[in-house]
C-alpha cells in the first residue's frame, strides 16, 4: 500500500468516526426530546384523569348540596351547588383541551356527556327553585326520576374509556423511549468497535512518521551549516559596499533635516490654528446644550404646572360637590331629628313618644346611610393600597352573570357575551367587577316591560384602546336633558323603581380610579350603550 492509499484510508476512517460521533450527538439530543415528550404525555394523562375525576366530584357535590338542603332546609348547604357551578366550566374546558390535543378518538362521546352535564345542572337549578318556593311535592317527583344515577353510569363508562386511552398514550411513549435507548446502545458499541482499531492504526503510522521526520531534520541541519558558511562570505562583501552607500546617505540626510525643520514650523502653526477652532466649536456646543436644557426645563415646569392646575380644579370641584351633598342631604335628616327631639320633649303620652322614637330612628338611619355613601365614595377616590392584578374578562363576566342569573331568568331575559376568551386586563379587580355588576344590575332593574330583556356584552380590541361595551334594550335615558346629571350623586332618572341614585356615580368614580373612561349612548324607550375604554397597554391578548 503506497502513501497516497494510506492517506486516503486514514481520512476515510476519521470521516467515518466523525460521522458516527455526530450521529451519536444527534441521537442523544433526540433521546432527550423523547424523554421530554414522554414526561409531557404522562403529565397530560395525569391531568386528564384528575379533570375526569373532578367532573364526577362536582356532580356528587351538586347532589349533596341539593339533597342536604332538602333534608335540613339550611341555605348554607347551597354553597356546595354554587361551588359546583363555578368549577364545572373550568373542569370541562380543561378536559376538552387535553383530550383534543391528544386526538382522543371519542370526542363525540365527550361532547354528548358535556351536554348531558349542562342539562343536569339546569335540572338541579329547577329542583332548587322548587325547594326554595316550597313546592316539595313537585320536587320529590323530579327527585324520584334519579337522573343523576343514569348520568353517573354513562360518565363512569366514559371515564373508564379515558383512563384506558391515557394508559395507551403513556405506554406508547415509554415504548418509543425504550426503542431509542436500545438504538443508542447499539450505536455506542459500533462506534467503539470502529474507533479502537482505527486509532491503533493511526498511532502506528504516526510513530513511523515521527522517525522519518527526525532523519529529515538531521539532513536539513547539515544543509543549513553549509548555507551559513556561504552567507558569511556574502556578508563581508555586502559590508564593504554598505560603507560606500552610508557616506552618500549622510549627505542626503543633512538635506532632509533642513526640510524637516521647515515642516515642523509649518505643523506647529497648523496645530495652533486647529486648537483655536476646537475651542470655538466647544464653546458653541456648550451654548447649544445649555439652550436645550433651558428649553426642556421650561417645558417640564409648564407641563407640571398645567397638571397641578388640572388636579387642583378637579379637587376643588369634588370638594364643592361634597359640600353641596353634605349641605343638601344631611340638612333634611338633621332638621327632622331636631324637630322630633323638640316634639319628644313636649310630649307626655307613652304611645305618642313611641311613634316619635320610631321616627327618630328612621331619620337616624337615613343620615347614617348618607354618611356611609359619602364614606364609600371618599374611600374610592383616595384608595392607594389596592394592587393591580391580571383578570380574565370572560371568567369575571361568567361569575357576575352567575350572581344575577336568578333575576334574569325570573323576567325571561338573556345575556349574550361576545368576549374573546383570551382577553385579560391588568387593573383593580374589585373595581372592575363592581363596575360590570352595576351596569348589568341597572340593565335588569330599569328594563322595559314592553319587551323581553336583552343584554349584550362585547370586548373590542382596537389599535389604541381596548373597549368593553354593555348594551341593553331597557327604558333608556334622555341625554339631551340629563347628560349633565348622568354621573351625579343621588340623581335618579326613573322613580318607579327603588334606588338611591348611587350606582352610576360609583361607576364613574371607580373608572377614574382605574384610569379608564366611560362613554354613554342612550335613547328613551330604546335602550342604553355603556362603553368602558382602557389604554391598549393594559390589555393582553
Amino acid at each position: 500500500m503506497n502513501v497516497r492509499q494510506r492517506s486516503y484510508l486514514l481520512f476515510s476512517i476519521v470521516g467515518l468516526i466523525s460521522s458516527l460521533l455526530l450521529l451519536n450527538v444527534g441521537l442523544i439530543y433526540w433521546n432527550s426530546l423523547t424523554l421530554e415528550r414522554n414526561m409531557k404525555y404522562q403529565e397530560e394523562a395525569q391531568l386528564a384523569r384528575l379533570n375526569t375525576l373532578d367532573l364526577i366530584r362536582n356532580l356528587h357535590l351538586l347532589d349533596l348540596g341539593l339533597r342536604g338542603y332538602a333534608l335540613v332546609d339550611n341555605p348554607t348547604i347551597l354553597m356546595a351547588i354554587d361551588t359546583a357551578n363555578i368549577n364545572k366550566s373550568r373542569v370541562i374546558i380543561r378536559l376538552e383541551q387535553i383530550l383534543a390535543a391528544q386526538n382522543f378518538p371519542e370526542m363525540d362521546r365527550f361532547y354528548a356527556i358535556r351536554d348531558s352535564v349542562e342539562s343536569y345542572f339546569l335540572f338541579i337549578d329547577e329542583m332548587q327553585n322548587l325547594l326554595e318556593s316550597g313546592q316539595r311535592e313537585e320536587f320529590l317527583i323530579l327527585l324520584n326520576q334519579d337522573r343523576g344515577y343514569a348520568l353517573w353510569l354513562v360518565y363512569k363508562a366514559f371515564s373508564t374509556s379515558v383512563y384506558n386511552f391515557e394508559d395507551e398514550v403513556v405506554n406508547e411513549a415509554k415504548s418509543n423511549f425504550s426503542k431509542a435507548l436500545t438504538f443508542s446502545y447499539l450505536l455506542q458499541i459500533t462506534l467503539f468497535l470502529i474507533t479502537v482499531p482505527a486509532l491503533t492504526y493511526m498511532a502506528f503510522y504516526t510513530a513511523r512518521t515521527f522517525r522519518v521526520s527526525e532523519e529529515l531534520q538531521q539532513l536539513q541541519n547539515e544543509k543549513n551549516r553549509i548555507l551559513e558558511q556561504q552567507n558569511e562570505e556574502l556578508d563581508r562583501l555586502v559590508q564593504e559596499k554598505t560603507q560606500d552607500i552610508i557616506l552618500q546617505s549622510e549627505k542626503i540626510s543633512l538635506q532632509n533635516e533642513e526640510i524637516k525643520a521647515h515642516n515642523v514650523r509649518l505643523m506647529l502653526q497648523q496645530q495652533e490654528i486647529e486648537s483655536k477652532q476646537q475651542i470655538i466649536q466647544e464653546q458653541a456646543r456648550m451654548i447649544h446644550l445649555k439652550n436645550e436644557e433651558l428649553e426642556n426645563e421650561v417645558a417640564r415646569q409648564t407641563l407640571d404646572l398645567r397638571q397641578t392646575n388640572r388636579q387642583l380644579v378637579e379637587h376643588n370641584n369634588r370638594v364643592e360637590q361634597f359640600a353641596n351633598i353634605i349641605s343638601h342631604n344631611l340638612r333634611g335628616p338633621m332638621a327632622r331629628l331636631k324637630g322630633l327631639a323638640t316634639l319628644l320633649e313636649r310630649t307626655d303620652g307613652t304611645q305618642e313618644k313611641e311613634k316619635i322614637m320610631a321616627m327618630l330612628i328612621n331619620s337616624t338611619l337615613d343620615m347614617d346611610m348618607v354618611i356611609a355613601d359619602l364614606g364609600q365614595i371618599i374611600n374610592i377616590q383616595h384608595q392607594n393600597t389596592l394592587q393591580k392584578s391580571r383578570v380574565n374578562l370572560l371568567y369575571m363576566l361568567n361569575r357576575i352573570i352567575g350572581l344575577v342569573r336568578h333575576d334574569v331568568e325570573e323576567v325571561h331575559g338573556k345575556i349574550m357575551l361576545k368576549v374573546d376568551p383570551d382577553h385579560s386586563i391588568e387593573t383593580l379587580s374589585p373595581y372592575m367587577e363592581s363596575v360590570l355588576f352595576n351596569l348589568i344590575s341597572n340593565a335588569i332593574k330599569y328594563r322595559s316591560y314592553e319587551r323581553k330583556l336583552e343584554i349584550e356584552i362585547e370586548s373590542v380590541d382596537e389599535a389604541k384602546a381596548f373597549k368593553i361595551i354593555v348594551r341593553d334594550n331597557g327604558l333608556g335615558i334622555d341625554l339631551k336633558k340629563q347628560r349633565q346629571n348622568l354621573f351625579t350623586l343621588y340623581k335618579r332618572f326613573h322613580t318607579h323603581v327603588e334606588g338611591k341614585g348611587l350606582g352610576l356615580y360609583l361607576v364613574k368614580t371607580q373608572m377614574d380610579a382605574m384610569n379608564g373612561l366611560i362613554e354613554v349612548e342612550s335613547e328613551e324607550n330604546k335602550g342604553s350603550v355603556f362603553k368602558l375604554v382602557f389604554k391598549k397597554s393594559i390589555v393582553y391578548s
Side-chain angles (χ1 to χ4, degrees):
M1 184 180 295
N2 55 32
V3 175
R4 186 173 184 179
Q5 291 175 337
R6 290 173 181 170
S7 300
Y8 179 77
L9 178 61
L10 286 174
F11 284 122
S12 299
I13 294 172
V14 171
L16 178 60
I17 293 173
S18 300
S19 301
L20 290 174
L21 289 173
L22 184 61
L23 179 61
N24 185 48
V25 172
L27 186 60
I28 291 172
Y29 175 72
W30 182 70
N31 283 341
S32 64
L33 292 180
T34 303
L35 180 59
E36 290 178 1
R37 286 196 300 269
N38 182 43
M39 293 176 65
K40 180 181 178 183
Y41 291 155
Q42 290 179 350
E43 290 176 357
E44 290 179 349
Q46 186 65 22
L47 285 176
R49 293 190 183 102
L50 290 176
N51 281 278
T52 303
L53 184 59
D54 283 344
L55 189 54
I56 197 66
R57 286 176 178 170
N58 279 334
L59 294 176
H60 290 326
L61 188 61
L62 201 65
D63 285 337
L64 181 62
L66 183 65
R67 295 174 188 270
Y69 180 64
L71 289 173
V72 299
D73 195 20
N74 186 355
T76 306
I77 300 177
L78 292 178
M79 292 178 63
I81 297 178
D82 296 336
T83 302
N85 275 301
I86 292 173
N87 293 333
K88 175 196 62 176
S89 298
R90 173 180 58 80
V91 172
I92 289 177
I93 291 173
R94 287 182 180 176
L95 185 57
E96 180 181 1
Q97 290 175 346
I98 294 173
L99 293 179
Q102 292 178 334
N103 296 321
F104 181 61
E106 299 183 28
M107 287 302 294
D108 293 338
R109 188 176 177 187
F110 166 76
Y111 293 134
I113 289 177
R114 180 193 63 186
D115 296 339
S116 298
V117 171
E118 294 285 352
S119 177
Y120 186 65
F121 268 77
L122 294 176
F123 178 69
I124 291 297
D125 287 341
E126 181 181 357
M127 294 175 70
Q128 180 182 342
N129 292 334
L130 291 175
L131 282 175
E132 292 175 346
S133 61
Q135 304 179 39
R136 286 190 167 269
E137 293 181 359
E138 290 81 352
F139 166 77
L140 292 175
I141 292 173
L142 296 181
L143 181 65
N144 290 332
Q145 294 178 8
D146 202 5
R147 297 187 187 179
Y149 179 70
L151 178 60
W152 181 81
L153 290 177
V154 174
Y155 193 83
K156 186 66 176 177
F158 171 74
S159 63
T160 302
S161 177
V162 171
Y163 275 43
N164 293 337
F165 174 74
E166 298 301 335
D167 289 339
E168 292 177 1
V169 170
V170 172
N171 291 334
E172 183 180 356
K174 290 180 178 179
S175 176
N176 291 336
F177 180 72
S178 178
K179 291 178 181 178
L181 199 61
T182 301
F183 183 70
S184 176
Y185 291 154
L186 292 176
L187 182 63
Q188 298 290 338
I189 294 171
T190 304
L191 184 64
F192 176 77
L193 294 176
I194 294 175
T195 303
V196 171
L199 291 176
T200 303
Y201 179 78
M202 292 173 65
F204 173 73
Y205 279 99
T206 300
R208 288 190 56 185
T209 302
F210 287 159
R211 188 169 58 254
V212 172
S213 177
E214 290 177 356
E215 294 176 354
L216 291 175
Q217 184 65 34
Q218 292 176 358
L219 293 175
Q220 185 66 34
N221 292 337
E222 182 64 22
K223 182 177 179 181
N224 291 339
R225 188 182 62 79
I226 296 172
L227 289 175
E228 287 176 358
Q229 292 177 354
Q230 294 177 351
N231 288 335
E232 289 175 356
E233 182 64 22
L234 289 174
D235 288 340
R236 187 183 61 79
L237 295 174
V238 168
Q239 288 176 0
E240 292 178 356
K241 293 293 184 181
T242 301
Q243 292 295 329
D244 296 336
I245 295 172
I246 289 173
L247 293 175
Q248 296 177 358
S249 296
E250 289 177 353
K251 296 179 181 180
I252 297 172
S253 296
L254 293 174
Q255 296 175 355
N256 289 336
E257 287 178 358
E258 294 178 358
I259 296 172
K260 287 180 180 180
H262 180 69
N263 290 336
V264 168
R265 288 193 296 272
L266 291 175
M267 288 177 64
L268 291 174
Q269 293 176 357
Q270 182 68 24
Q271 288 176 356
E272 184 177 359
I273 294 172
E274 291 177 355
S275 177
K276 291 180 179 179
Q277 288 179 346
Q278 289 178 356
I279 292 172
I280 293 171
Q281 291 176 356
E282 182 65 21
Q283 291 176 348
R285 187 181 67 83
M286 293 297 293
I287 293 172
H288 179 69
L289 291 176
K290 195 65 177 178
N291 289 335
E292 288 184 348
E293 290 179 0
L294 290 173
E295 291 175 358
N296 292 335
E297 181 64 21
V298 170
R300 185 186 64 79
Q301 292 183 0
T302 302
L303 182 60
D304 291 343
L305 183 59
R306 289 177 180 174
Q307 186 175 2
T308 302
N309 288 335
R310 180 178 60 81
Q311 293 175 352
L312 183 60
V313 170
E314 292 178 355
H315 178 72
N316 290 337
N317 290 335
R318 286 197 297 269
V319 171
E320 182 179 355
Q321 185 178 14
F322 274 107
N324 293 332
I325 291 169
I326 293 171
S327 174
H328 178 270
N329 293 309
L330 294 181
R331 183 184 302 165
M334 181 59 72
R336 289 199 302 272
L337 285 173
K338 291 174 64 178
L340 290 170
T342 303
L343 187 60
L344 184 62
E345 290 179 352
R346 298 176 181 177
T347 302
D348 296 329
T350 304
Q351 187 175 2
E352 292 182 358
K353 285 186 175 182
E354 289 178 353
K355 291 182 180 180
I356 295 172
M357 287 298 296
M359 296 171 67
L360 277 171
I361 292 172
N362 289 333
S363 296
T364 303
L365 292 176
D366 290 342
M367 181 179 292
D368 181 69
M369 184 180 298
V370 172
I371 294 173
D373 292 342
L374 294 176
Q376 183 180 3
I377 295 167
I378 292 172
N379 184 51
I380 292 173
Q381 292 177 342
H382 297 280
Q383 182 61 263
N384 295 319
T385 59
L386 289 179
Q387 297 294 325
K388 289 187 177 181
S389 60
R390 189 175 301 175
V391 178
N392 182 271
L393 182 58
L394 184 59
Y395 175 76
M396 177 177 285
L397 285 171
N398 284 329
R399 186 170 58 188
I400 295 172
I401 291 171
L403 297 176
V404 300
R405 184 185 303 277
H406 176 72
D407 296 332
V408 175
E409 292 177 351
E410 188 177 14
V411 299
H412 305 290
K414 62 180 179 179
I415 299 177
M416 298 167 287
L417 297 181
K418 295 182 179 179
V419 178
D420 192 323
D422 295 329
H423 276 168
S424 297
I425 301 178
E426 186 175 349
T427 185
L428 303 176
S429 177
Y431 289 175
M432 189 73 248
E433 186 168 352
S434 176
V435 168
L436 293 173
F437 180 81
N438 268 313
L439 293 180
I440 295 172
S441 298
N442 281 351
I444 298 171
K445 183 185 298 181
Y446 301 108
R447 66 187 181 277
S448 173
Y449 293 95
E450 298 176 356
R451 50 187 172 269
K452 290 185 177 181
L453 171 65
E454 291 185 359
I455 303 173
E456 179 182 285
I457 304 174
E458 180 183 5
S459 64
V460 181
D461 185 6
E462 296 182 349
K464 296 182 179 180
F466 179 78
K467 297 181 179 179
I468 302 173
I469 304 172
V470 181
R471 300 184 180 90
D472 66 67
N473 62 342
L475 296 176
I477 304 171
D478 188 355
L479 294 181
K480 293 181 180 179
K481 296 180 180 179
Q482 303 293 347
R483 183 177 292 277
Q484 69 276 8
N485 299 321
L486 191 60
F487 299 109
T488 303
L489 187 61
Y490 298 128
K491 187 67 178 178
R492 300 178 60 199
F493 309 108
H494 303 287
T495 58
H496 68 284
V497 180
E498 292 186 2
K500 297 190 296 182
L502 184 63
L504 286 181
Y505 184 85
L506 286 178
V507 168
K508 180 64 168 62
T509 303
Q510 290 169 334
M511 285 298 294
D512 291 341
M514 293 186 290
N515 295 324
L517 301 175
I518 180 169
E519 302 172 356
V520 183
E521 299 173 6
S522 185
E523 189 174 348
E524 277 193 307
N525 297 321
K526 289 188 178 181
S528 302
V529 179
F530 291 87
K531 297 180 181 179
L532 310 179
V533 184
F534 299 91
K535 293 181 180 180
K536 186 65 179 294
S537 59
I538 68 171
V539 178
Y540 299 83
S541 59

